[in-house]
Amino acid sequence: MKYNTVKAYMIKEFKELVRTKLIILVYLLPSMIVIIFGYGIRLDVTHARLIIIDNDKSKISQMLSSKFEHTKYFDTIESNMNEKQALRRIKQAKTDAILIIPNSFEKNLLKGQKSELGVFVDGAFPTRGTTIQTYIEGTILSLVQKVLQAKGIQQKKLISINNRNLFNQSMRDENAIVPGIIGLVLLIAPAIIAALLIVKEKEKGTIFNFYASSLSKNEFLAAKLIPVFLLHSLNIFILFLIAVYLFNIPFRGNFLLYWLASELYILVSISLGMLISVITKKQIVAVVLTIIITVIPGFLYSGIIMPISSMDGVSQVEAHIFPVMYYNHIVYDTFLIGQGFHSQINLLYLLILIIFSFVLFSAGRILLKKEMK
Amino acid sequence: MKIFFIVFSKEIISFMRSIALVAVILYSFTADIYIAGAGMQIRPRNVAIGYVDNSGGGISQKILSHFHQPEFINPKAFTSQQALSDAIFNKEILVGLIFSSNFEKAYVNGHNTKLDVLLDATAASQSFTTLSYLQNIILNFEKIDIPITIKSHRLFNQNADDHSFMALAELLSIITLLTVILTAMVFVKEKEEGTWDIMLLMPVNPKIIILAKSASQVFIVTIGVILSLGFVVFGAFDTPLNGSFWSFILLTLFYGFSSAGIGLFVAAVSKNIMQVAQISIAIMMPLIFLSGAWTPIYAMLPIFQKLSLISPLRYYIEGSESIFYRGTAFIDLLPYFGGVIILGIILYWYGFKKIGNLF
């Protein structure tokens, strides 16, 4: 190892990052994404816009409407518009659901006769549609049960469900999202910088400096990758502080595990970027390729929107091919669960991350050429 | 006009010559959208359930028999509560049911009966939906006769098909991503090589060059959109198209130009491709994820709601959803067209001015 040459090369790379102002983005981009996602994405359905068309105007139907009014899940409008007008509002995306209470609803209910309530839900956003529908049906059923019990029509005792929400007692969306976003960001940001490092020189022709120099492949890669690695290592702590102090995410696990896993993960990400940089010839191809293979799978397989265990066969295999799943398991563990090094799965996943970085790095190293073809 | 076509075809040809780029673009418009669509299933599916049954069987088993494919994997029995919670901690199990020893007795005697449920709340939406399934199962099981029927209609997408929705959302994101990056790259490449200044100094109207260059990239993306609609969105996922196909293409074209405007702006402020990559990601990530594809606008923080008013993608996403699913009439689509066109003009005009200035 020619220590001085490598050092000089590293300083040059570092200065380049500073002079091109990329250093700002190295730190701005990850924090910005975490903050925007943490505040912006809501998986929980709240403030769904509901139009209640109350044709009965009785005491029970009023009770039903007010029950919808007093939750955070719905913003209700009581209206006399007819069904057609209401449906048009759904078509204009101005409302999400309509509830139609038939006339003589109260009378029928108290007599024990069937009455039919109409619910229309906008299904264009499938998950939300389903959730809104479940909420509405649940609210109606529980109210009707209560009314019937109070009036003595229905006597039977019920099985009540006593649920405990583990890891995220308050069911805060932030807790479920922010740790996952860290896994997404630490995959994308280092990979994009690393992806451009070598291909940039190829496109400009300065790669010949390397071909002609006495620097070996290993030294060249070390000089290229170590500055990016070190700069991004700081992000591990910045993101941790944002998560814990800005979003108040509990940190129940082992910080050492979080730190170790994150460093390994950055190594994986940088190696991936380097591999892309080695196999592509143009910067634009490298950029688009990196974004396509990090952003989308990173989001899909992060476990933010759906747990890996409930994926279908093929997607489940794909999720296992991607590093993000392993890292996110550890991150969620360190933030919300707290098993730390005692969990064998964490240790296994740590090992898998090591294998990932080793394989990707070796592949890039082998494909990198030291001379002109 | 002639100059326009020469520059236009020059850009198309140089795009076609870069085989790797063509391959990557084709990949993003087909396989990538397919993966996103096929992989996504937000409704509970294969949810892993575990249970501890101390009640001695009978009713508990009857309740458990209601959990079946495809929503649930057959419930797995655990001998103790500790074993069950360990499995949840290792994320092998999402939902755990605990039938206490007096469960059956209490139920038969008509006392209040409690069923303990443990949920992995890190997968909040699955857990919640599972909980409501469970409530329905118990309600059905108890056969309580409530004298009402709720007639629910899920409009536009009766089966709540996540696949086609995800494929569409992905397509819209890819359109944004590629238009911005491709447009910005075309200009920055020339900037990096120093040929852009020469272009501006040539006795050719620089406006025509800028227009032709960005139009060529919008054209490339539009072709990709049509391919993707044919092969993936309609071909593989049977996405419903309740509105008019041509209004979608028209909206896409307008949207293409407003994202090209963002691309022009990115090109104007960045000096090299490295910066283009970083700046466009910094602009696009919020744009894509805060424009209503993942969280409806009205459910976001008020400040984001206001900010989303200036995002052309917001109008594009709402408009496209309305065209595909809601089958909205053209007259009701006008606000979306208006939003995309007005923002498009502003962005394009601004980017145009910035990139067209020599100094």
Side-chain angles (χ1 to χ4, degrees):
Chain A
M1 195 82 156
K2 290 178 234 24
Y3 181 70
N4 279 330
T5 329
V6 174
K7 196 173 139 199
Y9 212 122
M10 264 164 59
I11 292 172
K12 171 227 154 207
E13 286 290 327
F14 182 74
K15 275 191 178 158
E16 237 176 53
L17 283 176
V18 176
R19 283 195 187 142
T20 51
K21 299 199 185 91
L22 270 175
I23 190 100
I24 304 175
L25 286 165
V26 166
Y27 292 114
L28 189 69
L29 193 66
S31 314
M32 192 188 83
I33 292 175
V34 170
I35 290 173
I36 286 179
F37 275 51
Y39 281 123
I41 291 200
R42 287 288 169 271
L43 298 171
D44 202 7
V45 179
T46 50
H47 301 289
R49 298 157 301 178
L50 172 71
I51 294 182
I52 300 178
I53 302 176
D54 185 356
N55 294 323
D56 192 27
K57 301 219 173 15
S58 62
K59 217 173 130 201
I60 296 181
S61 75
Q62 292 294 336
M63 264 166 77
L64 190 59
S65 315
S66 74
K67 198 142 191 212
F68 281 109
E69 267 163 42
H70 293 119
T71 64
K72 62 171 180 169
Y73 301 111
F74 294 102
D75 289 346
T76 55
I77 306 170
E78 267 187 72
S79 157
N80 291 320
M81 64 174 85
N82 61 33
E83 207 176 306
K84 218 171 149 197
Q85 285 168 318
L87 284 175
R88 176 135 188 260
R89 286 182 68 90
I90 289 195
K91 281 207 170 186
Q92 290 171 318
K94 281 184 183 151
T95 189
D96 299 295
I98 310 169
L99 167 64
I100 302 171
I101 304 173
N103 45 23
S104 62
F105 166 69
E106 185 181 65
K107 222 166 71 193
N108 284 347
L109 187 68
L110 295 178
K111 277 189 193 156
Q113 279 169 353
K114 284 262 171 203
S115 50
E116 192 179 284
L117 286 97
V119 175
F120 294 86
V121 178
D122 179 1
F125 206 128
T127 356
R128 277 185 176 266
T130 318
T131 316
I132 292 173
Q133 188 190 339
T134 334
Y135 281 172
I136 296 179
E137 289 175 359
T139 313
I140 298 172
L141 285 179
S142 81
L143 180 96
V144 169
Q145 262 178 39
K146 234 190 237 158
V147 168
L148 291 179
Q149 270 189 354
K151 302 266 177 202
I153 298 172
Q154 186 71 248
Q155 288 291 350
K156 205 168 171 185
K157 298 278 188 198
L158 304 168
I159 299 177
S160 59
I161 293 174
N162 174 28
N163 53 310
R164 265 181 59 208
N165 308 320
L166 298 170
F167 320 132
N168 187 6
Q169 280 82 353
S170 43
M171 295 302 277
R172 288 174 72 217
D173 261 344
E174 288 93 332
N175 291 5
I177 290 170
V178 173
I181 297 293
I182 295 181
L184 179 62
V185 156
L186 287 183
L187 181 69
I188 300 172
I192 285 181
I193 292 211
L196 287 171
L197 284 177
I198 298 169
V199 74
K200 181 180 71 183
E201 303 224 16
K202 275 200 244 174
E203 208 173 338
K204 278 189 185 162
T206 47
I207 190 85
F208 286 95
N209 293 346
F210 162 58
Y211 292 162
S213 76
S214 59
L215 224 54
S216 76
K217 271 203 226 177
N218 283 340
E219 288 159 349
F220 177 67
L221 288 177
K224 281 268 173 199
L225 300 182
I226 288 174
V228 182
F229 178 75
L230 290 179
L231 289 176
H232 266 291
S233 296
L234 192 61
N235 266 327
I236 298 174
F237 300 97
I238 298 179
L239 295 180
F240 171 80
L241 293 177
I242 291 180
V244 173
Y245 290 102
L246 191 62
F247 288 107
N248 291 319
I249 316 274
F251 191 85
R252 305 197 175 107
N254 190 319
F255 188 79
L256 188 67
L257 178 67
Y258 166 75
W259 181 63
L260 196 68
S262 303
E263 294 283 10
L264 274 173
Y265 189 61
I266 289 180
L267 211 59
V268 172
S269 164
I270 287 181
S271 309
L272 178 70
M274 180 196 94
L275 180 62
I276 291 172
S277 200
V278 168
I279 59 173
T280 49
K281 289 203 185 79
K282 290 222 169 100
Q283 294 186 61
I284 176 167
V285 182
V287 171
V288 177
L289 193 62
T290 318
I291 293 178
I292 296 289
I293 66 175
T294 54
V295 175
I296 286 113
F299 198 57
L300 280 183
Y301 304 134
S302 59
I304 302 170
I305 6 186
M306 62 180 310
I308 311 290
S309 65
S310 43
M311 283 182 175
D312 278 350
V314 186
S315 323
Q316 186 143 126
V317 174
E318 276 161 15
H320 282 80
I321 298 174
F322 255 80
V324 64
M325 167 194 146
Y326 305 103
Y327 176 67
N328 270 12
H329 182 94
I330 298 177
V331 171
Y332 274 115
D333 182 274
T334 52
F335 274 98
L336 301 174
I337 303 174
Q339 298 232 78
F341 287 108
H342 298 297
S343 158
Q344 284 180 344
I345 292 196
N346 282 349
L347 296 177
L348 176 69
Y349 283 181
L350 215 53
L351 183 72
I352 291 176
L353 285 180
I354 296 175
I355 296 171
F356 256 111
S357 56
F358 181 74
V359 169
L360 288 171
F361 184 81
S362 316
R365 206 196 89 90
I366 290 166
L367 291 172
L368 177 70
K369 296 200 176 57
K370 176 74 172 97
E371 65 258 340
M372 248 178 91
K373 272 180 283 180
Chain B
M1 208 55 200
K2 201 182 148 204
I3 300 161
F4 179 88
F5 279 112
I6 290 171
V7 178
F8 186 87
S9 27
K10 177 231 151 198
E11 288 300 335
I12 301 285
I13 290 168
S14 70
F15 169 77
M16 296 300 280
R17 281 209 185 125
S18 165
I19 294 162
L21 187 58
V22 175
V24 170
I25 303 281
L26 276 180
Y27 172 84
S28 16
F29 272 116
T30 51
D32 182 71
I33 291 173
Y34 181 78
I35 290 173
M40 245 350 176
Q41 181 78 50
I42 312 178
R43 271 184 306 160
R45 208 186 159 82
N46 300 331
V47 172
I49 293 188
Y51 68 93
V52 180
D53 190 355
N54 295 328
S55 73
I59 294 166
S60 56
Q61 291 299 327
K62 269 189 199 149
I63 291 176
L64 287 170
S65 71
H66 283 84
F67 292 100
H68 48 69
Q69 295 280 358
E71 287 91 358
F72 303 97
I73 298 174
N74 287 338
K76 198 171 158 195
F78 287 87
T79 47
S80 70
Q81 200 169 332
Q82 187 56 41
L84 178 65
S85 76
D86 279 350
I88 294 178
F89 273 65
N90 281 329
K91 301 229 163 187
E92 286 155 16
I93 297 285
L94 274 182
V95 179
L97 306 177
I98 297 160
F99 298 95
S100 59
S101 54
N102 61 356
F103 178 78
E104 183 150 358
K105 221 161 57 194
Y107 180 73
V108 173
N109 293 337
H111 294 302
N112 273 336
T113 319
K114 256 200 185 121
L115 172 59
D116 289 312
V117 179
L118 298 174
L119 294 171
D120 175 356
T122 52
S125 81
Q126 275 77 16
S127 305
F128 258 155
T129 326
T130 309
L131 197 63
S132 72
Y133 266 75
L134 183 66
Q135 258 148 1
N136 277 340
I137 287 169
I138 287 176
L139 219 60
N140 282 335
F141 172 76
E142 291 177 297
K143 293 207 178 53
I144 289 170
D145 195 28
I146 292 175
I148 54 164
T149 34
I150 301 174
K151 213 168 192 175
S152 294
H153 310 263
R154 211 178 290 134
L155 303 167
F156 320 128
N157 189 356
Q158 279 84 357
N159 320 323
D161 174 14
D162 281 334
H163 297 309
S164 69
F165 176 76
M166 284 304 304
L168 192 64
E170 183 63 28
L171 174 63
L172 303 185
S173 314
I174 294 271
I175 293 172
T176 315
L177 195 95
L178 289 182
T179 319
V180 173
I181 290 196
L182 286 178
T183 316
M185 292 283 191
V186 176
F187 290 99
V188 171
K189 227 160 59 189
E190 301 229 19
K191 259 180 143 182
E192 254 191 326
E193 284 161 14
T195 46
W196 184 240
D197 296 349
I198 300 171
M199 285 285 230
L200 289 178
L201 288 170
M202 278 199 306
V204 178
N205 191 348
K207 288 188 183 114
I208 292 176
I209 298 176
I210 299 173
L211 205 63
K213 268 179 174 287
S214 43
S216 65
Q217 304 307 311
V218 175
F219 177 74
I220 291 168
V221 172
T222 314
I223 297 291
V225 173
I226 291 172
L227 284 179
S228 161
L229 284 177
F231 286 114
V232 186
V233 177
F234 295 135
F237 292 122
D238 290 330
T239 312
L241 178 66
N242 297 326
S244 137
F245 177 74
W246 290 108
S247 40
F248 176 68
I249 293 294
L250 195 65
L251 192 62
T252 304
L253 217 59
F254 284 131
Y255 178 67
F257 273 98
S258 57
S259 355
I262 301 177
L264 286 177
F265 170 75
V266 173
V269 294
S270 40
K271 289 194 188 71
N272 53 43
I273 292 185
M274 197 100 135
Q275 285 181 346
V276 170
Q278 303 269 336
I279 294 175
S280 26
I281 288 183
I283 292 182
M284 273 180 314
M285 291 284 269
L287 203 63
I288 290 177
F289 289 103
L290 297 181
S291 288
W294 296 96
T295 306
I297 309 286
Y298 62 80
M300 292 195 248
L301 285 185
I303 177 154
F304 286 127
Q305 294 189 23
K306 297 239 165 61
L307 280 176
S308 77
L309 285 175
I310 56 165
S311 150
L313 187 57
R314 173 197 170 154
Y315 303 99
Y316 185 49
I317 287 179
E318 278 190 4
S320 308
E321 277 175 12
S322 294
I323 292 171
F324 276 94
Y325 294 107
R326 301 191 184 104
T328 312
F330 191 75
I331 186 93
D332 284 330
L333 288 175
L334 286 178
Y336 308 122
F337 274 96
V340 168
I341 291 173
I342 291 169
L343 285 170
I345 289 173
I346 295 171
L347 285 168
Y348 201 79
W349 172 78
Y350 185 72
F352 203 91
K353 237 182 84 182
K354 271 216 107 168
I355 192 89
N357 280 346
L358 194 47
F359 302 109

